[in-house]
Amino acid sequence: MSLPTRAASGTTRYSTVAIILHWMVALGILILIVMGLVMDHLHLDAMRVFQLYQLHKSIGITVMFLIALRIGWHLTHRAPALPTDMPPLEKKGAHLVHLALYGVQVLLPLSGWAMVSASVLGIPTVLFGTILWPDLPVLSTLSDKAPVEAVLKVLHHWAAWGLLALITLHVAAALRHQFVLHDQVLRQMLPSFRASSTSCYKGENP
């Protein structure tokens, strides 16, 4: 899930910071999706649901900050180029999927934050049981919150399913590059633990 930027000459891997942020965001999103499915489809007692919602919001806000850091990093650090023999149409599709991934990743936490802010229940968000997180202005002071909350709930729900579909497509494409095309695309974003591996990628950003 890498924001496309111009490739620097000789850059064959993503930077260490980009790799760390990528996998932290990926893990956070996976946890949030599982939690969302559990909250929507399992019959849990009210206290357990409340605890899960608070944790879901805490992780969601954390992932929102990580996504902002990723975007900032990629805007200032060039990414490796796609394979030169990759058809132009595939390159265009890859860029569009990457942009869609980032767009939905931004939309999802913002819509969740907005939904909580417009909630008729008015339950405060306390990040990891420690930090009181504010509601969005205007939404928290609406005189009739119910219809706004309902719209935001639908938006958040379908954005989550849209993100899951994009992630599935993204993972399938990465596996195709690795096991069918046998190129370096997937390995550009995998952590490298061996000295021999890092020596092969002299163009890695610091």
Side-chain angles (χ1 to χ4, degrees), residues 77-155:
H77 296 76
R78 293 177 179 178
L82 291 171
T84 55
D85 58 349
M86 188 172 176
L89 189 60
E90 284 191 29
K91 288 184 178 181
K92 186 73 172 178
H95 290 316
L96 290 175
V97 170
H98 289 153
L99 288 173
L101 275 166
Y102 267 86
V104 178
Q105 284 180 74
V106 171
L107 173 64
L108 203 50
L110 287 179
S111 63
W113 187 9
M115 180 177 66
V116 169
S117 301
S119 174
V120 295
L121 298 177
I123 299 174
T125 298
V126 183
L127 302 183
F128 301 106
T130 304
I131 303 171
L132 181 63
W133 184 256
D135 289 331
L136 287 170
V138 179
L139 291 175
S140 59
T141 57
L142 290 173
S143 56
D144 187 10
K145 292 183 177 181
V148 178
E149 181 186 10
V151 170
L152 290 170
K153 187 175 292 186
V154 171
L155 175 62

